[in-house]
Amino acid sequence: MDSNEHKLLLRKIEREKAARKQAEKILEDKAAELYQRTQQLHEANEQLEMLLGEKSSQLQGIFENIVDAYVVMDLAGNILRMNEAANRLFGIDLEKESVNVTTLIYPEDVPYAMQSFQSLNEKGYFTNYQARVLTRNQGVRWVQINASVVLDNKKKPIAAQGIVRDITEQLNESNALAFISEVAQEILGKTNFREIGTILAEKVSAFLKTDDCVVYLKMPEQKYLQQISAVGAKLDKEGNIVNPLIIPVGTGIVGSVAETGQAELIGNTKADKRYIRDDASRLSELAVAISVDDQVLGVIDAEHAQADFFTKDQLKTLTSVSNLVALQLRSAMDVSARRESEARNVKLLDQLELSNRELSEYAHMVSHDLKSPLRSISALAEWIKEDNYEQLPEESKEHFTLLEGTISKMEELISNVLEYASVDRVAEEFLPVDTKELIREIENLIFVPEHIELQIADNLPVVSGNRVMLQQLFQNLIVNAVKYNDKPSGFVKIDCVDKDTFFEFTVADNGMGIAPEYHDKIFKIFQSLNPDGESSGLGLALVKKVVEVHHGEIWLDSTIDQGATFYFTLSKKK
């Protein structure tokens, strides 16, 4: 091998060494890079695992601590998992039993539920679905559900999840407020208690979802309740109650509520001996008193064929409605009672007016018929006396004198009766009368002894009345005051006080006075306190009637031996 070949070989070896070193260097660098990347990947995996653990823990915490019920089910509706809130709502333990959601749906809501599940399959979700569900411990509850499907990594549905919110209380409160407001609006301004009862029965029946509701009314001052309105089978085609029940207070569930004022919720009437069967037997009954100021006016009573149908929330709402209705119902009952009373009064007044008219006509007829034979008797007695005066013994002459006095007294009595009966006939003939001027005229007509002073006040008013009747009124009172004044120095004082809507007159004296036990008696017809028989007993009765015709009242204040004061009022109405 020559030197040139040797040199070429050495160069080749050097180049190969250099290339190998370069390759080793590259390999070392790549290995270091790979190691570094391996370390980074390892650290990343550890972080990922840690993050996955944290997310899983967080999801588990959310699942367990969410306030609303959370349910996961497969596509066939079998419940796979529930959180604690769902367990409390439905009362289900998945570790002990398998449950399909279809068994939790309220029967009447099944069609609506199937439509919602179909929407879930087609759209992948549904929101604000509201329906009733059956729970193990709480009965029927209203819920709102927002649900969505769960997809795998290939976007294929594998399950469904939903958040279930119990909205029973919310709906009950909302429905109750709407019900109360509706009833209030319907009865506003109603004055017929039967109309109020009908509205109440219809609204309560719709709210409670029952076809049997009756409103009872406690008859005023009676110990029984009577059905005044109803819905359902209790009504005939014309809307009248068929065979309305009358229940004594204290009898039956309704009677017990009327007696105590406390509402009652009966879940099974078969177990309650108080239950009274009406048109049919029903298992549930809800009775609430309608009360004002602890006074029971009536009872709202609802029944349903299903046991345990009514709820405590419904009882609470119905109690609120009964309190609302009570005031309007009492007002309507008062109006009804007043109208009945007014109708009775009108009828009585008509009868009284007819009786008075007949009595007045009879009095005129009797007075006229009596006066004619009385005058004949008087004339015959006078003729007999004149024809036989000289032959008559003194005793017979005295008898004739007594007979003449009796006839005169009888004629006066008949005239007084006629005068008393005539008062009503001129009752409407009212004109302005100056009472001061009228009394001055009376003063000139009657005899007033010198030892008695007639004191007439300056403020006597002009009144609206019948002048002749008012003259009889004042003249009778003044004459009596003068006649029965036994004092050496007596007085009769006439005065008046303006009382806004009427005048109050007084005729006072310092005479003999009248005992209290006779203060009412003296105003009655044919009643006289004078033992000598000089008074007919019609004077003060006539005075009282004149005052009443003028829409006033009369009364007396008197003490024996100290005088008497007669008070009477005259209305200002024309």
Side-chain angles (χ1 to χ4, degrees), residues 105-361:
I105 302 171
Y106 190 75
E108 293 182 9
D109 295 343
V110 168
Y112 176 48
M114 293 302 103
Q115 293 177 6
S116 299
F117 287 142
Q118 183 177 354
S119 175
L120 177 63
N121 291 328
E122 293 175 353
K123 296 182 179 180
Y125 68 92
F126 65 71
T127 58
N128 298 329
Y129 162 76
Q130 291 186 6
R132 287 166 288 185
V133 295
L134 302 172
T135 69
R136 302 290 172 82
N137 302 323
Q138 303 180 71
V140 178
R141 307 294 291 180
W142 277 93
V143 296
Q144 182 183 71
I145 304 174
N146 292 309
S148 63
V149 296
V150 178
L151 306 175
D152 61 11
N153 56 0
K154 294 182 180 180
K155 305 297 184 181
K156 182 179 179 181
I158 58 173
Q161 61 181 352
I163 295 177
V164 184
R165 175 170 295 175
D166 187 348
I167 59 171
T168 306
E169 303 301 332
Q170 179 182 343
L171 283 181
N172 285 344
E173 183 177 350
S174 176
N175 291 338
L177 290 174
F179 167 58
I180 293 172
S181 175
E182 186 177 2
V183 172
Q185 292 180 19
E186 287 288 335
I187 67 171
L188 184 65
K190 296 294 188 295
T191 58
N192 185 305
F193 66 85
R194 294 186 183 276
E195 183 180 4
I196 293 174
T198 299
I199 293 171
L200 190 57
E202 292 174 350
K203 297 301 179 183
V204 170
S205 175
F207 175 71
L208 297 179
K209 295 181 174 57
T210 179
D211 60 358
D212 181 82
C213 181
V214 179
V215 176
Y216 291 81
L217 197 64
K218 185 174 179 290
M219 295 296 103
E221 299 184 7
Q222 300 292 336
K223 295 294 184 180
Y224 65 88
L225 296 127
Q226 184 173 347
Q227 295 177 338
I228 62 165
S229 57
V231 295
K234 283 292 297 180
L235 299 180
D236 59 18
K237 293 181 180 180
E238 286 73 34
N240 300 314
I241 298 179
V242 179
N243 299 322
L245 282 183
I246 295 178
I247 299 178
V249 173
T251 301
I253 296 171
V254 170
S256 296
V257 170
E259 184 176 47
T260 64
Q262 300 298 315
E264 293 206 32
L265 177 61
I266 310 299
N268 187 353
T269 57
K270 286 186 176 180
D272 196 318
K273 294 181 180 180
R274 300 174 301 166
Y275 179 71
I276 297 176
R277 184 184 186 275
D278 193 354
D279 59 301
S281 293
R282 299 176 179 87
L283 294 178
S284 292
E285 183 167 3
L286 177 60
V288 175
I290 305 172
S291 305
V292 177
D293 299 330
D294 297 327
Q295 178 189 6
V296 176
L297 305 178
V299 176
I300 305 169
D301 183 67
E303 295 184 17
H304 195 276
Q306 179 182 324
D308 298 314
F309 180 78
F310 302 118
T311 67
K312 291 182 179 179
D313 288 334
Q314 290 173 330
L315 175 65
K316 182 179 178 181
T317 301
L318 207 56
T319 301
S320 298
V321 166
S322 71
N323 293 334
L324 172 70
V325 170
L327 290 173
Q328 192 70 29
L329 184 61
R330 184 172 68 174
S331 175
M333 292 172 66
D334 290 343
V335 169
S336 177
R338 186 167 63 251
R339 287 174 178 171
E340 290 179 3
S341 178
E342 288 173 352
R344 287 195 301 269
N345 289 342
V346 168
K347 186 176 180 180
L348 288 173
L349 287 173
D350 290 342
Q351 293 174 346
L352 182 61
E353 183 179 356
L354 177 61
S355 298
N356 286 340
R357 185 164 58 249
E358 292 175 348
L359 180 61
S360 177
E361 292 172 355

Side-chain angles (χ1 to χ4, degrees), residues 392-411:
L392 289 174
E394 291 301 320
E395 186 178 1
S396 296
K397 293 178 181 179
E398 291 178 2
H399 289 165
F400 269 104
T401 301
L402 291 174
L403 179 62
E404 290 171 352
T406 302
I407 292 173
S408 176
K409 186 68 177 177
M410 187 66 182
E411 186 172 3

Side-chain angles (χ1 to χ4, degrees), residues 362-376:
Y362 179 75
H364 278 79
M365 179 185 68
V366 170
S367 298
H368 178 272
D369 291 347
L370 287 176
K371 278 191 173 183
S372 180
L374 193 63
R375 291 192 183 101
S376 297

